Amino acid sequence: MKFIHTADWHLGQTFFGYDRTEEHGVFLNWLAEEIRQKEIDALIIAGDVFDVSNPSAASQSMYYQFIYRVTAENPYLQIVIVAGNHDSAARLEAPLPLLQAMRTEVRGVVRKLEGGEIDYDHLTVELKNRKGEVELLCMAVPFLRQGDYPAVQTEGNPYAEGVRELYAQLLQRLWKRRTENQAILAIGHLQATGSEIAEKDYSERTVIGGLECVSPETFSEQIAYTALGHIHKAQRVSGRENVRYAGSPIPMSFAEKHYHHGVVMVTFDGGCAVDIERLECPKLIPLLSVPNGEPVSPEAVLEALKELPETEAVAPYLEVKVLLEEPEPMLRQEIEDALADKNYRLARIVSTYRTETGNTTKENENWKRGLQEMSPLQIAQSAFEKIYQVEMPVELTGLFEEAYLAATRKEEEEEE
């Protein structure tokens, strides 16, 4: 029995204003062909099907058309989908009765029984081989929010311990009902402790301080394979071959431009995962940073842009990184002029300001005074200096004071 593990599609994402429908279309067509050619028995989607909780009609149409296509082309194919943190759990699960007619199971909501106990049966999905025999018992667990997991008395992290307890309770139930040739498959959308994420990248929405990190020990050795989503870099967790993130099928940020994007194909036999293989998907639009390393001066950036080769094929996404001494109002126009005769999609300009020791010391002294001791103007001036490493111009100071006075008058009128 073979299945494909994928996650983090983020259908409907726009990349710095650019629509990505074509890129997602290329991925889904490729995936449909892989399912057909490799005679896949099950498709596991470990969360973040959509980029936002209220996806567009076009994004939903792409999603449902894909499910219809692959289940029509592959009469034995079964699909299991869990909701991620970007998805609306209720919205994703709402059409379940219709999707079940296409051998598709969706788990978004953690249901509760009358006594308040978690409905563990709802989080269990049976996957059958081509003989019609149940070969995999699937722990279909969506992204868990507060209240979705058992309350555990602990001095440690209540979220991590609660998630661990939910998986333990579910595994205990499945282990009792499994037969000798049946394997247990776990699905999750979470951040495992020790997993590698992109530095200074917020596309995965990880929680500062690791408060939502879950120990890899949550996934017992009794689980034959753990299919994870949420982290966009494909990787093994703690070096365990059978505990994996599939990664995103296309890069979601410039921090992910060097990732190997794709899916994982797993072959089961006799209750064991006997083969695990990475399948890399095609990349339609390349990502390019100028310069490739640390930011440089505006003059150096403009020279590098002029030296970029003309592209006759698909226009790459371009990130420009520039090191400034002070704000440059005409910089964007100059960059666009340098790219005028070239085939590139200017995605973003990252401006970094040179830090001077004197300014840094002054900034720290201001912020140490505390927000409560500073006037709104002083806060604005400190923030401006922190970003641009220069004092706020007199013109901006005047505009801020005008805006603040107008806002104050409006509040006083509303109170009256």
Side-chain angles (χ1 to χ4, degrees), residues 176-221:
K176 288 179 180 178
R177 61 184 275 190
R178 69 179 285 274
T179 61
E180 185 179 353
N181 292 322
Q182 290 177 343
I184 294 177
L185 165 68
I187 305 175
H189 190 90
L190 49 84
Q191 182 181 354
T193 306
S195 53
E196 186 179 345
I197 62 173
E199 187 179 357
K200 296 180 181 178
D201 178 33
Y202 304 100
S203 59
E204 292 154 324
R205 294 188 190 173
T206 56
V207 175
I208 295 172
L211 294 178
E212 289 189 355
C213 281
V214 176
S215 170
E217 295 177 2
T218 299
F219 307 106
S220 162
E221 296 293 341

mmCIF file of all heavy atoms in Angstrom, residues 176-221:
data_model
loop_
_atom_site.group_PDB
_atom_site.id
_atom_site.type_symbol
_atom_site.label_atom_id
_atom_site.label_comp_id
_atom_site.label_asym_id
_atom_site.label_seq_id
_atom_site.Cartn_x
_atom_site.Cartn_y
_atom_site.Cartn_z
ATOM 1 N N LYS A 176 -5.291 -1.031 20.782
ATOM 2 C CA LYS A 176 -6.140 -2.118 21.268
ATOM 3 C C LYS A 176 -6.938 -2.765 20.145
ATOM 4 O O LYS A 176 -7.215 -3.972 20.174
ATOM 5 C CB LYS A 176 -7.104 -1.606 22.344
ATOM 6 C CG LYS A 176 -6.432 -1.295 23.673
ATOM 7 C CD LYS A 176 -7.441 -0.783 24.681
ATOM 8 C CE LYS A 176 -6.796 -0.469 26.019
ATOM 9 N NZ LYS A 176 -7.781 0.070 26.999
ATOM 10 N N ARG A 177 -7.328 -1.982 19.136
ATOM 11 C CA ARG A 177 -8.201 -2.512 18.087
ATOM 12 C C ARG A 177 -7.447 -3.009 16.860
ATOM 13 O O ARG A 177 -8.031 -3.675 16.008
ATOM 14 C CB ARG A 177 -9.220 -1.461 17.655
ATOM 15 C CG ARG A 177 -8.613 -0.204 17.070
ATOM 16 C CD ARG A 177 -9.660 0.834 16.758
ATOM 17 N NE ARG A 177 -10.278 0.642 15.456
ATOM 18 C CZ ARG A 177 -11.078 1.524 14.877
ATOM 19 N NH1 ARG A 177 -11.393 2.642 15.525
ATOM 20 N NH2 ARG A 177 -11.587 1.292 13.702
ATOM 21 N N ARG A 178 -6.143 -2.695 16.735
ATOM 22 C CA ARG A 178 -5.397 -3.092 15.545
ATOM 23 C C ARG A 178 -5.163 -4.593 15.511
ATOM 24 O O ARG A 178 -5.120 -5.268 16.542
ATOM 25 C CB ARG A 178 -4.050 -2.363 15.469
ATOM 26 C CG ARG A 178 -3.054 -2.801 16.538
ATOM 27 C CD ARG A 178 -1.734 -2.060 16.407
ATOM 28 N NE ARG A 178 -0.942 -2.538 15.290
ATOM 29 C CZ ARG A 178 -0.100 -3.570 15.353
ATOM 30 N NH1 ARG A 178 0.040 -4.261 16.487
ATOM 31 N NH2 ARG A 178 0.602 -3.923 14.310
ATOM 32 N N THR A 179 -5.021 -5.124 14.294
ATOM 33 C CA THR A 179 -4.651 -6.526 14.101
ATOM 34 C C THR A 179 -3.170 -6.588 13.735
ATOM 35 O O THR A 179 -2.514 -5.559 13.564
ATOM 36 C CB THR A 179 -5.496 -7.170 12.990
ATOM 37 O OG1 THR A 179 -5.262 -6.464 11.748
ATOM 38 C CG2 THR A 179 -6.979 -7.107 13.311
ATOM 39 N N GLU A 180 -2.655 -7.783 13.567
ATOM 40 C CA GLU A 180 -1.212 -7.979 13.377
ATOM 41 C C GLU A 180 -0.660 -7.243 12.155
ATOM 42 O O GLU A 180 0.436 -6.680 12.199
ATOM 43 C CB GLU A 180 -0.925 -9.481 13.263
ATOM 44 C CG GLU A 180 0.568 -9.784 13.179
ATOM 45 C CD GLU A 180 0.838 -11.281 13.103
ATOM 46 O OE1 GLU A 180 -0.124 -12.065 13.253
ATOM 47 O OE2 GLU A 180 2.001 -11.648 12.877
ATOM 48 N N ASN A 181 -1.399 -7.224 11.055
ATOM 49 C CA ASN A 181 -0.889 -6.630 9.814
ATOM 50 C C ASN A 181 -1.313 -5.178 9.610
ATOM 51 O O ASN A 181 -1.103 -4.621 8.538
ATOM 52 C CB ASN A 181 -1.329 -7.465 8.607
ATOM 53 C CG ASN A 181 -0.649 -8.826 8.589
ATOM 54 O OD1 ASN A 181 0.521 -8.934 8.941
ATOM 55 N ND2 ASN A 181 -1.393 -9.848 8.198
ATOM 56 N N GLN A 182 -1.904 -4.596 10.632
ATOM 57 C CA GLN A 182 -2.322 -3.198 10.520
ATOM 58 C C GLN A 182 -1.274 -2.276 11.136
ATOM 59 O O GLN A 182 -0.671 -2.600 12.156
ATOM 60 C CB GLN A 182 -3.669 -2.983 11.214
ATOM 61 C CG GLN A 182 -4.839 -3.630 10.493
ATOM 62 C CD GLN A 182 -6.145 -3.451 11.240
ATOM 63 O OE1 GLN A 182 -6.166 -3.135 12.428
ATOM 64 N NE2 GLN A 182 -7.256 -3.658 10.544
ATOM 65 N N ALA A 183 -1.063 -1.136 10.493
ATOM 66 C CA ALA A 183 -0.107 -0.142 10.991
ATOM 67 C C ALA A 183 -0.857 1.109 11.430
ATOM 68 O O ALA A 183 -1.978 1.368 10.979
ATOM 69 C CB ALA A 183 0.907 0.198 9.898
ATOM 70 N N ILE A 184 -0.220 1.891 12.293
ATOM 71 C CA ILE A 184 -0.821 3.141 12.768
ATOM 72 C C ILE A 184 -0.080 4.319 12.144
ATOM 73 O O ILE A 184 1.154 4.396 12.173
ATOM 74 C CB ILE A 184 -0.790 3.224 14.303
ATOM 75 C CG1 ILE A 184 -1.705 2.140 14.892
ATOM 76 C CG2 ILE A 184 -1.231 4.602 14.783
ATOM 77 C CD1 ILE A 184 -1.711 2.079 16.402
ATOM 78 N N LEU A 185 -0.864 5.223 11.575
ATOM 79 C CA LEU A 185 -0.342 6.419 10.933
ATOM 80 C C LEU A 185 -0.849 7.633 11.702
ATOM 81 O O LEU A 185 -2.040 7.743 11.980
ATOM 82 C CB LEU A 185 -0.830 6.479 9.473
ATOM 83 C CG LEU A 185 -0.711 7.802 8.719
ATOM 84 C CD1 LEU A 185 0.742 8.153 8.466
ATOM 85 C CD2 LEU A 185 -1.474 7.736 7.402
ATOM 86 N N ALA A 186 0.047 8.540 12.074
ATOM 87 C CA ALA A 186 -0.342 9.766 12.792
ATOM 88 C C ALA A 186 -0.225 10.959 11.859
ATOM 89 O O ALA A 186 0.704 11.052 11.059
ATOM 90 C CB ALA A 186 0.535 9.977 14.013
ATOM 91 N N ILE A 187 -1.188 11.874 11.955
ATOM 92 C CA ILE A 187 -1.139 13.131 11.213
ATOM 93 C C ILE A 187 -1.189 14.262 12.233
ATOM 94 O O ILE A 187 -1.918 14.194 13.226
ATOM 95 C CB ILE A 187 -2.326 13.273 10.245
ATOM 96 C CG1 ILE A 187 -2.418 12.071 9.302
ATOM 97 C CG2 ILE A 187 -2.192 14.553 9.412
ATOM 98 C CD1 ILE A 187 -3.643 12.098 8.396
ATOM 99 N N GLY A 188 -0.433 15.316 11.987
ATOM 100 C CA GLY A 188 -0.458 16.458 12.893
ATOM 101 C C GLY A 188 -0.059 17.733 12.174
ATOM 102 O O GLY A 188 0.672 17.699 11.181
ATOM 103 N N HIS A 189 -0.557 18.857 12.690
ATOM 104 C CA HIS A 189 -0.157 20.163 12.174
ATOM 105 C C HIS A 189 0.333 20.952 13.381
ATOM 106 O O HIS A 189 -0.457 21.519 14.142
ATOM 107 C CB HIS A 189 -1.327 20.870 11.485
ATOM 108 C CG HIS A 189 -0.902 22.097 10.730
ATOM 109 N ND1 HIS A 189 -0.521 22.057 9.412
ATOM 110 C CD2 HIS A 189 -0.772 23.385 11.118
ATOM 111 C CE1 HIS A 189 -0.186 23.275 9.003
ATOM 112 N NE2 HIS A 189 -0.330 24.106 10.039
ATOM 113 N N LEU A 190 1.648 20.975 13.558
ATOM 114 C CA LEU A 190 2.238 21.525 14.775
ATOM 115 C C LEU A 190 3.726 21.779 14.559
ATOM 116 O O LEU A 190 4.296 21.381 13.541
ATOM 117 C CB LEU A 190 2.030 20.552 15.939
ATOM 118 C CG LEU A 190 2.412 19.076 15.682
ATOM 119 C CD1 LEU A 190 3.896 18.823 15.908
ATOM 120 C CD2 LEU A 190 1.601 18.153 16.579
ATOM 121 N N GLN A 191 4.353 22.423 15.530
ATOM 122 C CA GLN A 191 5.794 22.628 15.493
ATOM 123 C C GLN A 191 6.462 21.684 16.474
ATOM 124 O O GLN A 191 6.257 21.778 17.684
ATOM 125 C CB GLN A 191 6.160 24.075 15.835
ATOM 126 C CG GLN A 191 7.669 24.332 15.761
ATOM 127 C CD GLN A 191 8.051 25.754 16.126
ATOM 128 O OE1 GLN A 191 7.176 26.599 16.330
ATOM 129 N NE2 GLN A 191 9.338 26.042 16.215
ATOM 130 N N ALA A 192 7.255 20.764 15.947
ATOM 131 C CA ALA A 192 7.978 19.824 16.802
ATOM 132 C C ALA A 192 9.259 20.471 17.296
ATOM 133 O O ALA A 192 9.946 21.181 16.559
ATOM 134 C CB ALA A 192 8.298 18.547 16.032
ATOM 135 N N THR A 193 9.578 20.238 18.558
ATOM 136 C CA THR A 193 10.803 20.776 19.140
ATOM 137 C C THR A 193 12.010 20.305 18.331
ATOM 138 O O THR A 193 12.138 19.130 18.010
ATOM 139 C CB THR A 193 10.951 20.304 20.599
ATOM 140 O OG1 THR A 193 9.774 20.643 21.317
ATOM 141 C CG2 THR A 193 12.150 20.934 21.259
ATOM 142 N N GLY A 194 12.887 21.243 18.004
ATOM 143 C CA GLY A 194 14.084 20.890 17.252
ATOM 144 C C GLY A 194 13.920 20.980 15.752
ATOM 145 O O GLY A 194 14.893 20.833 15.012
ATOM 146 N N SER A 195 12.704 21.236 15.263
ATOM 147 C CA SER A 195 12.508 21.349 13.814
ATOM 148 C C SER A 195 13.121 22.648 13.319
ATOM 149 O O SER A 195 13.171 23.648 14.022
ATOM 150 C CB SER A 195 11.012 21.298 13.467
ATOM 151 O OG SER A 195 10.287 22.255 14.201
ATOM 152 N N GLU A 196 13.593 22.626 12.079
ATOM 153 C CA GLU A 196 14.306 23.775 11.518
ATOM 154 C C GLU A 196 13.341 24.689 10.780
ATOM 155 O O GLU A 196 12.642 24.262 9.865
ATOM 156 C CB GLU A 196 15.401 23.282 10.561
ATOM 157 C CG GLU A 196 16.296 24.386 10.042
ATOM 158 C CD GLU A 196 17.390 23.871 9.125
ATOM 159 O OE1 GLU A 196 17.638 22.647 9.110
ATOM 160 O OE2 GLU A 196 17.990 24.699 8.404
ATOM 161 N N ILE A 197 13.312 25.958 11.185
ATOM 162 C CA ILE A 197 12.471 26.940 10.513
ATOM 163 C C ILE A 197 13.351 28.041 9.958
ATOM 164 O O ILE A 197 14.498 28.212 10.370
ATOM 165 C CB ILE A 197 11.405 27.536 11.460
ATOM 166 C CG1 ILE A 197 12.067 28.290 12.628
ATOM 167 C CG2 ILE A 197 10.473 26.455 11.986
ATOM 168 C CD1 ILE A 197 11.104 29.032 13.508
ATOM 169 N N ALA A 198 12.797 28.789 9.005
ATOM 170 C CA ALA A 198 13.559 29.870 8.386
ATOM 171 C C ALA A 198 13.758 31.009 9.374
ATOM 172 O O ALA A 198 12.817 31.441 10.030
ATOM 173 C CB ALA A 198 12.849 30.370 7.130
ATOM 174 N N GLU A 199 15.001 31.501 9.487
ATOM 175 C CA GLU A 199 15.288 32.614 10.389
ATOM 176 C C GLU A 199 14.644 33.893 9.866
ATOM 177 O O GLU A 199 14.656 34.172 8.680
ATOM 178 C CB GLU A 199 16.805 32.800 10.493
ATOM 179 C CG GLU A 199 17.217 33.820 11.540
ATOM 180 C CD GLU A 199 18.718 33.970 11.639
ATOM 181 O OE1 GLU A 199 19.436 33.246 10.932
ATOM 182 O OE2 GLU A 199 19.155 34.825 12.414
ATOM 183 N N LYS A 200 14.078 34.673 10.775
ATOM 184 C CA LYS A 200 13.434 35.949 10.444
ATOM 185 C C LYS A 200 12.355 35.775 9.379
ATOM 186 O O LYS A 200 12.221 36.567 8.465
ATOM 187 C CB LYS A 200 14.473 36.965 9.963
ATOM 188 C CG LYS A 200 15.497 37.332 11.025
ATOM 189 C CD LYS A 200 16.501 38.327 10.492
ATOM 190 C CE LYS A 200 17.539 38.667 11.556
ATOM 191 N NZ LYS A 200 18.554 39.606 11.059
ATOM 192 N N ASP A 201 11.586 34.682 9.490
ATOM 193 C CA ASP A 201 10.511 34.432 8.532
ATOM 194 C C ASP A 201 9.243 34.129 9.315
ATOM 195 O O ASP A 201 9.256 33.322 10.228
ATOM 196 C CB ASP A 201 10.869 33.245 7.629
ATOM 197 C CG ASP A 201 9.765 32.917 6.640
ATOM 198 O OD1 ASP A 201 9.086 33.855 6.203
ATOM 199 O OD2 ASP A 201 9.593 31.737 6.319
ATOM 200 N N TYR A 202 8.152 34.797 8.961
ATOM 201 C CA TYR A 202 6.926 34.660 9.738
ATOM 202 C C TYR A 202 5.816 33.946 8.974
ATOM 203 O O TYR A 202 4.684 33.939 9.403
ATOM 204 C CB TYR A 202 6.446 36.048 10.193
ATOM 205 C CG TYR A 202 7.507 36.780 10.962
ATOM 206 C CD1 TYR A 202 8.279 37.760 10.346
ATOM 207 C CD2 TYR A 202 7.780 36.465 12.285
ATOM 208 C CE1 TYR A 202 9.269 38.422 11.049
ATOM 209 C CE2 TYR A 202 8.768 37.121 12.997
ATOM 210 C CZ TYR A 202 9.510 38.105 12.371
ATOM 211 O OH TYR A 202 10.496 38.741 13.064
ATOM 212 N N SER A 203 6.148 33.323 7.825
ATOM 213 C CA SER A 203 5.107 32.675 7.030
ATOM 214 C C SER A 203 4.533 31.455 7.729
ATOM 215 O O SER A 203 3.422 31.022 7.440
ATOM 216 C CB SER A 203 5.658 32.282 5.647
ATOM 217 O OG SER A 203 6.757 31.400 5.771
ATOM 218 N N GLU A 204 5.306 30.865 8.674
ATOM 219 C CA GLU A 204 4.834 29.680 9.371
ATOM 220 C C GLU A 204 4.094 30.023 10.663
ATOM 221 O O GLU A 204 3.536 29.143 11.316
ATOM 222 C CB GLU A 204 6.016 28.747 9.673
ATOM 223 C CG GLU A 204 6.601 28.138 8.406
ATOM 224 C CD GLU A 204 8.065 27.749 8.551
ATOM 225 O OE1 GLU A 204 8.820 28.444 9.235
ATOM 226 O OE2 GLU A 204 8.450 26.742 7.936
ATOM 227 N N ARG A 205 4.112 31.298 11.047
ATOM 228 C CA ARG A 205 3.405 31.777 12.235
ATOM 229 C C ARG A 205 3.746 30.958 13.478
ATOM 230 O O ARG A 205 2.865 30.466 14.185
ATOM 231 C CB ARG A 205 1.886 31.742 12.010
ATOM 232 C CG ARG A 205 1.409 32.719 10.943
ATOM 233 C CD ARG A 205 -0.100 32.782 10.908
ATOM 234 N NE ARG A 205 -0.564 33.532 9.755
ATOM 235 C CZ ARG A 205 -1.833 33.637 9.401
ATOM 236 N NH1 ARG A 205 -2.776 33.049 10.108
ATOM 237 N NH2 ARG A 205 -2.194 34.332 8.336
ATOM 238 N N THR A 206 5.024 30.781 13.737
ATOM 239 C CA THR A 206 5.425 30.086 14.955
ATOM 240 C C THR A 206 5.297 31.044 16.136
ATOM 241 O O THR A 206 5.372 32.253 15.984
ATOM 242 C CB THR A 206 6.883 29.598 14.851
ATOM 243 O OG1 THR A 206 7.713 30.717 14.553
ATOM 244 C CG2 THR A 206 7.014 28.564 13.757
ATOM 245 N N VAL A 207 5.124 30.486 17.310
ATOM 246 C CA VAL A 207 4.916 31.298 18.501
ATOM 247 C C VAL A 207 6.252 31.598 19.155
ATOM 248 O O VAL A 207 7.075 30.709 19.355
ATOM 249 C CB VAL A 207 3.983 30.578 19.503
ATOM 250 C CG1 VAL A 207 3.866 31.362 20.791
ATOM 251 C CG2 VAL A 207 2.610 30.386 18.874
ATOM 252 N N ILE A 208 6.489 32.873 19.484
ATOM 253 C CA ILE A 208 7.746 33.291 20.081
ATOM 254 C C ILE A 208 7.971 32.550 21.396
ATOM 255 O O ILE A 208 7.070 32.423 22.218
ATOM 256 C CB ILE A 208 7.746 34.811 20.327
ATOM 257 C CG1 ILE A 208 7.697 35.542 18.979
ATOM 258 C CG2 ILE A 208 8.964 35.243 21.123
ATOM 259 C CD1 ILE A 208 7.511 37.034 19.102
ATOM 260 N N GLY A 209 9.190 32.053 21.583
ATOM 261 C CA GLY A 209 9.520 31.352 22.817
ATOM 262 C C GLY A 209 9.210 29.871 22.774
ATOM 263 O O GLY A 209 9.468 29.152 23.715
ATOM 264 N N GLY A 210 8.643 29.396 21.666
ATOM 265 C CA GLY A 210 8.372 27.969 21.528
ATOM 266 C C GLY A 210 7.261 27.464 22.419
ATOM 267 O O GLY A 210 7.238 26.288 22.794
ATOM 268 N N LEU A 211 6.303 28.330 22.772
ATOM 269 C CA LEU A 211 5.231 27.918 23.677
ATOM 270 C C LEU A 211 4.330 26.857 23.068
ATOM 271 O O LEU A 211 3.628 26.160 23.792
ATOM 272 C CB LEU A 211 4.397 29.138 24.089
ATOM 273 C CG LEU A 211 5.130 30.183 24.944
ATOM 274 C CD1 LEU A 211 4.220 31.359 25.232
ATOM 275 C CD2 LEU A 211 5.640 29.570 26.235
ATOM 276 N N GLU A 212 4.314 26.760 21.731
ATOM 277 C CA GLU A 212 3.480 25.743 21.094
ATOM 278 C C GLU A 212 4.322 24.622 20.491
ATOM 279 O O GLU A 212 3.861 23.878 19.639
ATOM 280 C CB GLU A 212 2.587 26.382 20.027
ATOM 281 C CG GLU A 212 1.472 27.231 20.630
ATOM 282 C CD GLU A 212 0.449 27.707 19.613
ATOM 283 O OE1 GLU A 212 0.640 27.454 18.408
ATOM 284 O OE2 GLU A 212 -0.545 28.327 20.024
ATOM 285 N N CYS A 213 5.570 24.508 20.912
ATOM 286 C CA CYS A 213 6.418 23.406 20.446
ATOM 287 C C CYS A 213 6.023 22.107 21.146
ATOM 288 O O CYS A 213 5.775 22.093 22.349
ATOM 289 C CB CYS A 213 7.885 23.705 20.714
ATOM 290 S SG CYS A 213 8.624 24.820 19.515
ATOM 291 N N VAL A 214 5.997 21.038 20.368
ATOM 292 C CA VAL A 214 5.610 19.726 20.890
ATOM 293 C C VAL A 214 6.800 18.785 20.765
ATOM 294 O O VAL A 214 7.458 18.734 19.730
ATOM 295 C CB VAL A 214 4.405 19.169 20.109
ATOM 296 C CG1 VAL A 214 4.057 17.768 20.578
ATOM 297 C CG2 VAL A 214 3.200 20.101 20.262
ATOM 298 N N SER A 215 7.082 18.040 21.812
ATOM 299 C CA SER A 215 8.224 17.123 21.807
ATOM 300 C C SER A 215 8.022 16.003 20.785
ATOM 301 O O SER A 215 6.919 15.449 20.670
ATOM 302 C CB SER A 215 8.408 16.512 23.190
ATOM 303 O OG SER A 215 9.354 15.451 23.143
ATOM 304 N N PRO A 216 9.081 15.632 20.057
ATOM 305 C CA PRO A 216 8.988 14.493 19.131
ATOM 306 C C PRO A 216 8.627 13.193 19.839
ATOM 307 O O PRO A 216 8.126 12.254 19.210
ATOM 308 C CB PRO A 216 10.389 14.416 18.521
ATOM 309 C CG PRO A 216 10.972 15.775 18.704
ATOM 310 C CD PRO A 216 10.394 16.291 19.988
ATOM 311 N N GLU A 217 8.872 13.139 21.150
ATOM 312 C CA GLU A 217 8.528 11.946 21.923
ATOM 313 C C GLU A 217 7.020 11.737 21.995
ATOM 314 O O GLU A 217 6.554 10.666 22.422
ATOM 315 C CB GLU A 217 9.113 12.048 23.331
ATOM 316 C CG GLU A 217 10.639 12.059 23.357
ATOM 317 C CD GLU A 217 11.190 12.222 24.757
ATOM 318 O OE1 GLU A 217 10.379 12.283 25.712
ATOM 319 O OE2 GLU A 217 12.424 12.303 24.907
ATOM 320 N N THR A 218 6.249 12.763 21.590
ATOM 321 C CA THR A 218 4.790 12.616 21.507
ATOM 322 C C THR A 218 4.420 11.474 20.576
ATOM 323 O O THR A 218 3.401 10.806 20.772
ATOM 324 C CB THR A 218 4.168 13.939 21.001
ATOM 325 O OG1 THR A 218 4.482 14.971 21.932
ATOM 326 C CG2 THR A 218 2.665 13.829 20.845
ATOM 327 N N PHE A 219 5.270 11.255 19.567
ATOM 328 C CA PHE A 219 4.970 10.248 18.546
ATOM 329 C C PHE A 219 5.739 8.964 18.861
ATOM 330 O O PHE A 219 6.930 8.833 18.583
ATOM 331 C CB PHE A 219 5.298 10.800 17.161
ATOM 332 C CG PHE A 219 4.626 12.124 16.919
ATOM 333 C CD1 PHE A 219 5.345 13.306 16.937
ATOM 334 C CD2 PHE A 219 3.248 12.193 16.736
ATOM 335 C CE1 PHE A 219 4.721 14.532 16.754
ATOM 336 C CE2 PHE A 219 2.616 13.411 16.565
ATOM 337 C CZ PHE A 219 3.352 14.580 16.568
ATOM 338 N N SER A 220 5.019 8.037 19.485
ATOM 339 C CA SER A 220 5.582 6.789 19.988
ATOM 340 C C SER A 220 6.179 5.939 18.868
ATOM 341 O O SER A 220 5.833 6.073 17.692
ATOM 342 C CB SER A 220 4.460 6.009 20.697
ATOM 343 O OG SER A 220 4.794 4.665 20.838
ATOM 344 N N GLU A 221 7.074 5.031 19.265
ATOM 345 C CA GLU A 221 7.659 4.083 18.320
ATOM 346 C C GLU A 221 6.596 3.124 17.776
ATOM 347 O O GLU A 221 6.821 2.436 16.781
ATOM 348 C CB GLU A 221 8.787 3.285 18.998
ATOM 349 C CG GLU A 221 9.983 4.121 19.427
ATOM 350 C CD GLU A 221 10.766 4.697 18.253
ATOM 351 O OE1 GLU A 221 10.606 4.176 17.129
ATOM 352 O OE2 GLU A 221 11.516 5.676 18.457
#
